[in-house]
PDB file of all heavy atoms in Angstrom:
ATOM      1  N   GLY A   9      75.912  -9.514  29.471  1.00  0.00           N
ATOM      2  CA  GLY A   9      76.150  -9.133  28.081  1.00  0.00           C
ATOM      3  C   GLY A   9      76.388  -7.636  27.930  1.00  0.00           C
ATOM      4  O   GLY A   9      76.514  -7.137  26.817  1.00  0.00           O
ATOM      5  N   ASN A  10      76.444  -6.924  29.036  1.00  0.00           N
ATOM      6  CA  ASN A  10      76.652  -5.472  29.027  1.00  0.00           C
ATOM      7  C   ASN A  10      77.812  -5.102  29.935  1.00  0.00           C
ATOM      8  O   ASN A  10      78.085  -5.794  30.916  1.00  0.00           O
ATOM      9  CB  ASN A  10      75.402  -4.748  29.557  1.00  0.00           C
ATOM     10  CG  ASN A  10      74.231  -4.883  28.635  1.00  0.00           C
ATOM     11  OD1 ASN A  10      74.216  -4.363  27.539  1.00  0.00           O
ATOM     12  ND2 ASN A  10      73.222  -5.619  29.080  1.00  0.00           N
ATOM     13  N   ASN A  11      78.455  -3.998  29.620  1.00  0.00           N
ATOM     14  CA  ASN A  11      79.453  -3.449  30.532  1.00  0.00           C
ATOM     15  C   ASN A  11      78.740  -2.831  31.726  1.00  0.00           C
ATOM     16  O   ASN A  11      77.639  -2.290  31.587  1.00  0.00           O
ATOM     17  CB  ASN A  11      80.300  -2.379  29.840  1.00  0.00           C
ATOM     18  CG  ASN A  11      81.209  -2.970  28.793  1.00  0.00           C
ATOM     19  OD1 ASN A  11      81.791  -4.027  28.986  1.00  0.00           O
ATOM     20  ND2 ASN A  11      81.322  -2.287  27.669  1.00  0.00           N
ATOM     21  N   LEU A  12      79.362  -2.904  32.891  1.00  0.00           N
ATOM     22  CA  LEU A  12      78.815  -2.252  34.077  1.00  0.00           C
ATOM     23  C   LEU A  12      78.927  -0.743  33.867  1.00  0.00           C
ATOM     24  O   LEU A  12      80.012  -0.220  33.621  1.00  0.00           O
ATOM     25  CB  LEU A  12      79.583  -2.674  35.328  1.00  0.00           C
ATOM     26  CG  LEU A  12      79.125  -2.057  36.635  1.00  0.00           C
ATOM     27  CD1 LEU A  12      77.695  -2.484  36.960  1.00  0.00           C
ATOM     28  CD2 LEU A  12      80.051  -2.456  37.759  1.00  0.00           C
ATOM     29  N   LYS A  13      77.814  -0.059  33.939  1.00  0.00           N
ATOM     30  CA  LYS A  13      77.788   1.384  33.712  1.00  0.00           C
ATOM     31  C   LYS A  13      77.736   2.093  35.057  1.00  0.00           C
ATOM     32  O   LYS A  13      76.710   2.102  35.718  1.00  0.00           O
ATOM     33  CB  LYS A  13      76.590   1.762  32.854  1.00  0.00           C
ATOM     34  CG  LYS A  13      76.672   1.200  31.459  1.00  0.00           C
ATOM     35  CD  LYS A  13      75.495   1.631  30.637  1.00  0.00           C
ATOM     36  CE  LYS A  13      75.636   1.095  29.233  1.00  0.00           C
ATOM     37  NZ  LYS A  13      74.512   1.469  28.403  1.00  0.00           N
ATOM     38  N   CYS A  14      78.851   2.679  35.425  1.00  0.00           N
ATOM     39  CA  CYS A  14      78.964   3.421  36.687  1.00  0.00           C
ATOM     40  C   CYS A  14      79.420   4.829  36.396  1.00  0.00           C
ATOM     41  O   CYS A  14      80.112   5.083  35.419  1.00  0.00           O
ATOM     42  CB  CYS A  14      79.989   2.757  37.606  1.00  0.00           C
ATOM     43  SG  CYS A  14      79.509   1.136  38.170  1.00  0.00           S
ATOM     44  N   THR A  15      79.036   5.713  37.277  1.00  0.00           N
ATOM     45  CA  THR A  15      79.526   7.072  37.205  1.00  0.00           C
ATOM     46  C   THR A  15      79.762   7.585  38.611  1.00  0.00           C
ATOM     47  O   THR A  15      79.059   7.207  39.537  1.00  0.00           O
ATOM     48  CB  THR A  15      78.555   7.998  36.438  1.00  0.00           C
ATOM     49  OG1 THR A  15      79.131   9.292  36.336  1.00  0.00           O
ATOM     50  CG2 THR A  15      77.206   8.090  37.108  1.00  0.00           C
ATOM     51  N   LYS A  16      80.775   8.408  38.767  1.00  0.00           N
ATOM     52  CA  LYS A  16      81.079   9.028  40.061  1.00  0.00           C
ATOM     53  C   LYS A  16      80.538  10.438  40.140  1.00  0.00           C
ATOM     54  O   LYS A  16      80.469  11.024  41.204  1.00  0.00           O
ATOM     55  CB  LYS A  16      82.590   9.037  40.297  1.00  0.00           C
ATOM     56  CG  LYS A  16      83.142   7.648  40.475  1.00  0.00           C
ATOM     57  CD  LYS A  16      84.612   7.661  40.734  1.00  0.00           C
ATOM     58  CE  LYS A  16      85.055   6.224  40.820  1.00  0.00           C
ATOM     59  NZ  LYS A  16      86.268   6.005  41.475  1.00  0.00           N
ATOM     60  N   MET A  17      80.191  10.995  39.009  1.00  0.00           N
ATOM     61  CA  MET A  17      79.665  12.357  38.976  1.00  0.00           C
ATOM     62  C   MET A  17      78.410  12.360  38.114  1.00  0.00           C
ATOM     63  O   MET A  17      78.373  11.755  37.061  1.00  0.00           O
ATOM     64  CB  MET A  17      80.713  13.310  38.408  1.00  0.00           C
ATOM     65  CG  MET A  17      81.979  13.355  39.234  1.00  0.00           C
ATOM     66  SD  MET A  17      83.182  14.525  38.605  1.00  0.00           S
ATOM     67  CE  MET A  17      82.379  16.050  39.010  1.00  0.00           C
ATOM     68  N   SER A  18      77.435  13.033  38.598  1.00  0.00           N
ATOM     69  CA  SER A  18      76.201  13.109  37.831  1.00  0.00           C
ATOM     70  C   SER A  18      75.463  14.384  38.199  1.00  0.00           C
ATOM     71  O   SER A  18      75.510  14.831  39.342  1.00  0.00           O
ATOM     72  CB  SER A  18      75.323  11.904  38.144  1.00  0.00           C
ATOM     73  OG  SER A  18      74.112  11.990  37.452  1.00  0.00           O
ATOM     74  N   SER A  19      74.793  14.940  37.238  1.00  0.00           N
ATOM     75  CA  SER A  19      73.998  16.125  37.539  1.00  0.00           C
ATOM     76  C   SER A  19      72.716  15.723  38.260  1.00  0.00           C
ATOM     77  O   SER A  19      72.119  16.528  38.937  1.00  0.00           O
ATOM     78  CB  SER A  19      73.662  16.877  36.249  1.00  0.00           C
ATOM     79  OG  SER A  19      72.879  16.050  35.406  1.00  0.00           O
ATOM     80  N   GLU A  20      72.330  14.476  38.104  1.00  0.00           N
ATOM     81  CA  GLU A  20      71.098  14.037  38.748  1.00  0.00           C
ATOM     82  C   GLU A  20      71.234  12.592  39.216  1.00  0.00           C
ATOM     83  O   GLU A  20      71.311  11.672  38.430  1.00  0.00           O
ATOM     84  CB  GLU A  20      69.925  14.149  37.780  1.00  0.00           C
ATOM     85  CG  GLU A  20      68.600  13.877  38.430  1.00  0.00           C
ATOM     86  CD  GLU A  20      67.427  14.197  37.518  1.00  0.00           C
ATOM     87  OE1 GLU A  20      67.638  14.614  36.378  1.00  0.00           O
ATOM     88  OE2 GLU A  20      66.305  14.004  37.973  1.00  0.00           O
ATOM     89  N   VAL A  21      71.251  12.429  40.533  1.00  0.00           N
ATOM     90  CA  VAL A  21      71.249  11.097  41.123  1.00  0.00           C
ATOM     91  C   VAL A  21      69.814  10.809  41.530  1.00  0.00           C
ATOM     92  O   VAL A  21      69.189  11.599  42.222  1.00  0.00           O
ATOM     93  CB  VAL A  21      72.184  11.008  42.354  1.00  0.00           C
ATOM     94  CG1 VAL A  21      72.037   9.680  43.048  1.00  0.00           C
ATOM     95  CG2 VAL A  21      73.622  11.241  41.938  1.00  0.00           C
ATOM     96  N   LYS A  22      69.279   9.697  41.075  1.00  0.00           N
ATOM     97  CA  LYS A  22      67.914   9.313  41.435  1.00  0.00           C
ATOM     98  C   LYS A  22      67.975   8.195  42.456  1.00  0.00           C
ATOM     99  O   LYS A  22      68.737   7.255  42.311  1.00  0.00           O
ATOM    100  CB  LYS A  22      67.147   8.852  40.208  1.00  0.00           C
ATOM    101  CG  LYS A  22      66.902   9.975  39.240  1.00  0.00           C
ATOM    102  CD  LYS A  22      65.689   9.703  38.410  1.00  0.00           C
ATOM    103  CE  LYS A  22      65.481  10.855  37.477  1.00  0.00           C
ATOM    104  NZ  LYS A  22      64.174  11.362  37.484  1.00  0.00           N
ATOM    105  N   LEU A  23      67.154   8.308  43.469  1.00  0.00           N
ATOM    106  CA  LEU A  23      67.075   7.284  44.496  1.00  0.00           C
ATOM    107  C   LEU A  23      66.143   6.185  44.016  1.00  0.00           C
ATOM    108  O   LEU A  23      65.000   6.430  43.689  1.00  0.00           O
ATOM    109  CB  LEU A  23      66.584   7.883  45.808  1.00  0.00           C
ATOM    110  CG  LEU A  23      67.420   9.024  46.355  1.00  0.00           C
ATOM    111  CD1 LEU A  23      66.783   9.612  47.600  1.00  0.00           C
ATOM    112  CD2 LEU A  23      68.822   8.554  46.651  1.00  0.00           C
ATOM    113  N   TRP A  24      66.653   4.973  43.973  1.00  0.00           N
ATOM    114  CA  TRP A  24      65.894   3.862  43.429  1.00  0.00           C
ATOM    115  C   TRP A  24      64.746   3.457  44.339  1.00  0.00           C
ATOM    116  O   TRP A  24      63.691   3.083  43.880  1.00  0.00           O
ATOM    117  CB  TRP A  24      66.822   2.671  43.181  1.00  0.00           C
ATOM    118  CG  TRP A  24      66.137   1.500  42.566  1.00  0.00           C
ATOM    119  CD1 TRP A  24      65.762   1.366  41.258  1.00  0.00           C
ATOM    120  CD2 TRP A  24      65.729   0.306  43.217  1.00  0.00           C
ATOM    121  NE1 TRP A  24      65.157   0.165  41.062  1.00  0.00           N
ATOM    122  CE2 TRP A  24      65.124  -0.515  42.252  1.00  0.00           C
ATOM    123  CE3 TRP A  24      65.828  -0.152  44.527  1.00  0.00           C
ATOM    124  CZ2 TRP A  24      64.634  -1.767  42.556  1.00  0.00           C
ATOM    125  CZ3 TRP A  24      65.324  -1.407  44.823  1.00  0.00           C
ATOM    126  CH2 TRP A  24      64.733  -2.187  43.838  1.00  0.00           C
ATOM    127  N   ASN A  25      64.936   3.509  45.630  1.00  0.00           N
ATOM    128  CA  ASN A  25      63.931   2.986  46.551  1.00  0.00           C
ATOM    129  C   ASN A  25      63.191   4.057  47.332  1.00  0.00           C
ATOM    130  O   ASN A  25      62.583   3.764  48.339  1.00  0.00           O
ATOM    131  CB  ASN A  25      64.573   2.008  47.531  1.00  0.00           C
ATOM    132  CG  ASN A  25      65.619   2.664  48.383  1.00  0.00           C
ATOM    133  OD1 ASN A  25      66.342   3.526  47.923  1.00  0.00           O
ATOM    134  ND2 ASN A  25      65.719   2.273  49.626  1.00  0.00           N
ATOM    135  N   GLY A  26      63.217   5.251  46.895  1.00  0.00           N
ATOM    136  CA  GLY A  26      62.438   6.267  47.590  1.00  0.00           C
ATOM    137  C   GLY A  26      62.945   7.664  47.332  1.00  0.00           C
ATOM    138  O   GLY A  26      64.132   7.892  47.225  1.00  0.00           O
ATOM    139  N   ASP A  27      62.021   8.566  47.193  1.00  0.00           N
ATOM    140  CA  ASP A  27      62.379   9.972  47.092  1.00  0.00           C
ATOM    141  C   ASP A  27      61.644  10.707  48.207  1.00  0.00           C
ATOM    142  O   ASP A  27      60.962  10.093  49.015  1.00  0.00           O
ATOM    143  CB  ASP A  27      62.050  10.535  45.709  1.00  0.00           C
ATOM    144  CG  ASP A  27      60.576  10.405  45.367  1.00  0.00           C
ATOM    145  OD1 ASP A  27      59.726  10.570  46.270  1.00  0.00           O
ATOM    146  OD2 ASP A  27      60.257  10.144  44.197  1.00  0.00           O
ATOM    147  N   PHE A  28      61.763  11.979  48.235  1.00  0.00           N
ATOM    148  CA  PHE A  28      61.210  12.735  49.348  1.00  0.00           C
ATOM    149  C   PHE A  28      60.046  13.637  48.923  1.00  0.00           C
ATOM    150  O   PHE A  28      59.792  14.654  49.534  1.00  0.00           O
ATOM    151  CB  PHE A  28      62.320  13.531  50.041  1.00  0.00           C
ATOM    152  CG  PHE A  28      63.360  12.619  50.633  1.00  0.00           C
ATOM    153  CD1 PHE A  28      64.566  12.413  49.988  1.00  0.00           C
ATOM    154  CD2 PHE A  28      63.108  11.934  51.804  1.00  0.00           C
ATOM    155  CE1 PHE A  28      65.515  11.556  50.516  1.00  0.00           C
ATOM    156  CE2 PHE A  28      64.046  11.064  52.345  1.00  0.00           C
ATOM    157  CZ  PHE A  28      65.245  10.876  51.697  1.00  0.00           C
ATOM    158  N   THR A  29      59.327  13.200  47.885  1.00  0.00           N
ATOM    159  CA  THR A  29      58.093  13.899  47.529  1.00  0.00           C
ATOM    160  C   THR A  29      56.982  13.378  48.435  1.00  0.00           C
ATOM    161  O   THR A  29      57.072  12.264  48.948  1.00  0.00           O
ATOM    162  CB  THR A  29      57.724  13.651  46.054  1.00  0.00           C
ATOM    163  OG1 THR A  29      57.577  12.241  45.844  1.00  0.00           O
ATOM    164  CG2 THR A  29      58.784  14.208  45.110  1.00  0.00           C
ATOM    165  N   ASN A  30      55.971  14.164  48.662  1.00  0.00           N
ATOM    166  CA  ASN A  30      54.849  13.792  49.534  1.00  0.00           C
ATOM    167  C   ASN A  30      55.352  13.260  50.878  1.00  0.00           C
ATOM    168  O   ASN A  30      54.936  12.203  51.345  1.00  0.00           O
ATOM    169  CB  ASN A  30      53.954  12.745  48.860  1.00  0.00           C
ATOM    170  CG  ASN A  30      53.359  13.246  47.575  1.00  0.00           C
ATOM    171  OD1 ASN A  30      52.966  14.404  47.478  1.00  0.00           O
ATOM    172  ND2 ASN A  30      53.310  12.389  46.577  1.00  0.00           N
ATOM    173  N   ILE A  31      56.236  14.016  51.487  1.00  0.00           N
ATOM    174  CA  ILE A  31      56.944  13.546  52.687  1.00  0.00           C
ATOM    175  C   ILE A  31      55.998  13.226  53.844  1.00  0.00           C
ATOM    176  O   ILE A  31      56.219  12.247  54.566  1.00  0.00           O
ATOM    177  CB  ILE A  31      58.057  14.530  53.086  1.00  0.00           C
ATOM    178  CG1 ILE A  31      59.038  13.844  54.016  1.00  0.00           C
ATOM    179  CG2 ILE A  31      57.509  15.793  53.691  1.00  0.00           C
ATOM    180  CD1 ILE A  31      60.366  14.545  54.135  1.00  0.00           C
ATOM    181  N   LYS A  32      54.930  13.977  54.022  1.00  0.00           N
ATOM    182  CA  LYS A  32      53.996  13.691  55.122  1.00  0.00           C
ATOM    183  C   LYS A  32      53.321  12.339  54.929  1.00  0.00           C
ATOM    184  O   LYS A  32      53.177  11.566  55.873  1.00  0.00           O
ATOM    185  CB  LYS A  32      52.949  14.799  55.242  1.00  0.00           C
ATOM    186  CG  LYS A  32      53.492  16.083  55.816  1.00  0.00           C
ATOM    187  CD  LYS A  32      52.401  17.108  55.983  1.00  0.00           C
ATOM    188  CE  LYS A  32      52.977  18.393  56.549  1.00  0.00           C
ATOM    189  NZ  LYS A  32      51.967  19.422  56.754  1.00  0.00           N
ATOM    190  N   VAL A  33      52.930  12.048  53.718  1.00  0.00           N
ATOM    191  CA  VAL A  33      52.292  10.762  53.423  1.00  0.00           C
ATOM    192  C   VAL A  33      53.296   9.625  53.605  1.00  0.00           C
ATOM    193  O   VAL A  33      52.978   8.602  54.219  1.00  0.00           O
ATOM    194  CB  VAL A  33      51.720  10.753  51.988  1.00  0.00           C
ATOM    195  CG1 VAL A  33      51.236   9.363  51.596  1.00  0.00           C
ATOM    196  CG2 VAL A  33      50.601  11.767  51.863  1.00  0.00           C
ATOM    197  N   LYS A  34      54.499   9.803  53.109  1.00  0.00           N
ATOM    198  CA  LYS A  34      55.512   8.749  53.234  1.00  0.00           C
ATOM    199  C   LYS A  34      55.895   8.496  54.683  1.00  0.00           C
ATOM    200  O   LYS A  34      56.118   7.360  55.081  1.00  0.00           O
ATOM    201  CB  LYS A  34      56.731   9.077  52.384  1.00  0.00           C
ATOM    202  CG  LYS A  34      56.432   8.897  50.919  1.00  0.00           C
ATOM    203  CD  LYS A  34      57.617   9.083  50.045  1.00  0.00           C
ATOM    204  CE  LYS A  34      57.184   8.841  48.604  1.00  0.00           C
ATOM    205  NZ  LYS A  34      58.174   9.205  47.655  1.00  0.00           N
ATOM    206  N   ARG A  35      55.954   9.537  55.480  1.00  0.00           N
ATOM    207  CA  ARG A  35      56.248   9.346  56.903  1.00  0.00           C
ATOM    208  C   ARG A  35      55.139   8.532  57.570  1.00  0.00           C
ATOM    209  O   ARG A  35      55.402   7.651  58.376  1.00  0.00           O
ATOM    210  CB  ARG A  35      56.404  10.690  57.606  1.00  0.00           C
ATOM    211  CG  ARG A  35      57.745  11.338  57.373  1.00  0.00           C
ATOM    212  CD  ARG A  35      57.845  12.663  58.088  1.00  0.00           C
ATOM    213  NE  ARG A  35      59.173  13.229  57.922  1.00  0.00           N
ATOM    214  CZ  ARG A  35      59.463  14.497  58.188  1.00  0.00           C
ATOM    215  NH1 ARG A  35      58.537  15.324  58.641  1.00  0.00           N
ATOM    216  NH2 ARG A  35      60.700  14.930  58.013  1.00  0.00           N
ATOM    217  N   LYS A  36      53.905   8.843  57.211  1.00  0.00           N
ATOM    218  CA  LYS A  36      52.788   8.106  57.797  1.00  0.00           C
ATOM    219  C   LYS A  36      52.808   6.646  57.356  1.00  0.00           C
ATOM    220  O   LYS A  36      52.610   5.742  58.166  1.00  0.00           O
ATOM    221  CB  LYS A  36      51.461   8.768  57.402  1.00  0.00           C
ATOM    222  CG  LYS A  36      50.279   8.208  58.124  1.00  0.00           C
ATOM    223  CD  LYS A  36      49.033   9.025  57.862  1.00  0.00           C
ATOM    224  CE  LYS A  36      47.882   8.467  58.688  1.00  0.00           C
ATOM    225  NZ  LYS A  36      46.677   9.263  58.544  1.00  0.00           N
ATOM    226  N   LEU A  37      53.048   6.408  56.086  1.00  0.00           N
ATOM    227  CA  LEU A  37      53.080   5.034  55.576  1.00  0.00           C
ATOM    228  C   LEU A  37      54.265   4.240  56.121  1.00  0.00           C
ATOM    229  O   LEU A  37      54.185   3.028  56.292  1.00  0.00           O
ATOM    230  CB  LEU A  37      53.116   5.038  54.048  1.00  0.00           C
ATOM    231  CG  LEU A  37      51.862   5.536  53.351  1.00  0.00           C
ATOM    232  CD1 LEU A  37      52.090   5.660  51.861  1.00  0.00           C
ATOM    233  CD2 LEU A  37      50.679   4.623  53.644  1.00  0.00           C
ATOM    234  N   GLN A  38      55.348   4.908  56.411  1.00  0.00           N
ATOM    235  CA  GLN A  38      56.567   4.251  56.890  1.00  0.00           C
ATOM    236  C   GLN A  38      56.581   4.082  58.415  1.00  0.00           C
ATOM    237  O   GLN A  38      57.344   3.284  58.928  1.00  0.00           O
ATOM    238  CB  GLN A  38      57.784   5.075  56.447  1.00  0.00           C
ATOM    239  CG  GLN A  38      59.100   4.368  56.536  1.00  0.00           C
ATOM    240  CD  GLN A  38      59.284   3.322  55.459  1.00  0.00           C
ATOM    241  OE1 GLN A  38      58.588   3.303  54.452  1.00  0.00           O
ATOM    242  NE2 GLN A  38      60.223   2.432  55.669  1.00  0.00           N
ATOM    243  N   SER A  39      55.725   4.788  59.099  1.00  0.00           N
ATOM    244  CA  SER A  39      55.725   4.798  60.553  1.00  0.00           C
ATOM    245  C   SER A  39      55.195   3.486  61.130  1.00  0.00           C
ATOM    246  O   SER A  39      54.070   3.067  60.842  1.00  0.00           O
ATOM    247  CB  SER A  39      54.880   5.955  61.072  1.00  0.00           C
ATOM    248  OG  SER A  39      54.678   5.826  62.460  1.00  0.00           O
ATOM    249  N   LYS A  40      55.969   2.868  61.976  1.00  0.00           N
ATOM    250  CA  LYS A  40      55.545   1.637  62.647  1.00  0.00           C
ATOM    251  C   LYS A  40      54.427   1.924  63.650  1.00  0.00           C
ATOM    252  O   LYS A  40      53.546   1.103  63.855  1.00  0.00           O
ATOM    253  CB  LYS A  40      56.746   0.969  63.309  1.00  0.00           C
ATOM    254  CG  LYS A  40      57.691   0.377  62.266  1.00  0.00           C
ATOM    255  CD  LYS A  40      59.117   0.333  62.764  1.00  0.00           C
ATOM    256  CE  LYS A  40      60.078  -0.111  61.703  1.00  0.00           C
ATOM    257  NZ  LYS A  40      60.324   0.847  60.646  1.00  0.00           N
ATOM    258  N   LEU A  41      54.444   3.113  64.248  1.00  0.00           N
ATOM    259  CA  LEU A  41      53.379   3.501  65.166  1.00  0.00           C
ATOM    260  C   LEU A  41      52.045   3.642  64.434  1.00  0.00           C
ATOM    261  O   LEU A  41      51.014   3.161  64.904  1.00  0.00           O
ATOM    262  CB  LEU A  41      53.728   4.807  65.876  1.00  0.00           C
ATOM    263  CG  LEU A  41      54.943   4.775  66.808  1.00  0.00           C
ATOM    264  CD1 LEU A  41      55.238   6.167  67.342  1.00  0.00           C
ATOM    265  CD2 LEU A  41      54.723   3.789  67.939  1.00  0.00           C
ATOM    266  N   GLU A  42      52.068   4.308  63.296  1.00  0.00           N
ATOM    267  CA  GLU A  42      50.845   4.470  62.509  1.00  0.00           C
ATOM    268  C   GLU A  42      50.328   3.114  62.030  1.00  0.00           C
ATOM    269  O   GLU A  42      49.120   2.875  62.013  1.00  0.00           O
ATOM    270  CB  GLU A  42      51.088   5.397  61.309  1.00  0.00           C
ATOM    271  CG  GLU A  42      51.342   6.828  61.681  1.00  0.00           C
ATOM    272  CD  GLU A  42      50.128   7.517  62.287  1.00  0.00           C
ATOM    273  OE1 GLU A  42      48.974   7.178  61.934  1.00  0.00           O
ATOM    274  OE2 GLU A  42      50.333   8.405  63.133  1.00  0.00           O
ATOM    275  N   THR A  43      51.234   2.239  61.654  1.00  0.00           N
ATOM    276  CA  THR A  43      50.829   0.904  61.200  1.00  0.00           C
ATOM    277  C   THR A  43      50.149   0.141  62.330  1.00  0.00           C
ATOM    278  O   THR A  43      49.095  -0.467  62.127  1.00  0.00           O
ATOM    279  CB  THR A  43      52.051   0.114  60.679  1.00  0.00           C
ATOM    280  OG1 THR A  43      52.631   0.832  59.592  1.00  0.00           O
ATOM    281  CG2 THR A  43      51.659  -1.282  60.224  1.00  0.00           C
ATOM    282  N   LEU A  44      50.734   0.168  63.519  1.00  0.00           N
ATOM    283  CA  LEU A  44      50.140  -0.518  64.655  1.00  0.00           C
ATOM    284  C   LEU A  44      48.774   0.074  65.006  1.00  0.00           C
ATOM    285  O   LEU A  44      47.811  -0.663  65.250  1.00  0.00           O
ATOM    286  CB  LEU A  44      51.067  -0.469  65.871  1.00  0.00           C
ATOM    287  CG  LEU A  44      50.561  -1.190  67.118  1.00  0.00           C
ATOM    288  CD1 LEU A  44      50.287  -2.664  66.841  1.00  0.00           C
ATOM    289  CD2 LEU A  44      51.552  -1.032  68.261  1.00  0.00           C
ATOM    290  N   LYS A  45      48.659   1.397  65.000  1.00  0.00           N
ATOM    291  CA  LYS A  45      47.377   2.040  65.275  1.00  0.00           C
ATOM    292  C   LYS A  45      46.314   1.590  64.269  1.00  0.00           C
ATOM    293  O   LYS A  45      45.182   1.277  64.632  1.00  0.00           O
ATOM    294  CB  LYS A  45      47.515   3.562  65.233  1.00  0.00           C
ATOM    295  CG  LYS A  45      48.237   4.147  66.421  1.00  0.00           C
ATOM    296  CD  LYS A  45      48.377   5.655  66.248  1.00  0.00           C
ATOM    297  CE  LYS A  45      49.269   6.257  67.299  1.00  0.00           C
ATOM    298  NZ  LYS A  45      49.487   7.700  67.073  1.00  0.00           N
TER     299      LYS A  45
END
């Protein structure tokens, strides 16, 4: 019921599935080695 809203240019692109804040924590949570340990 809506038009597809797309843009090729934006002042701010947001990543839907992850950003890079708290990078040390995210690396630890994402690490397969840390998970196995």
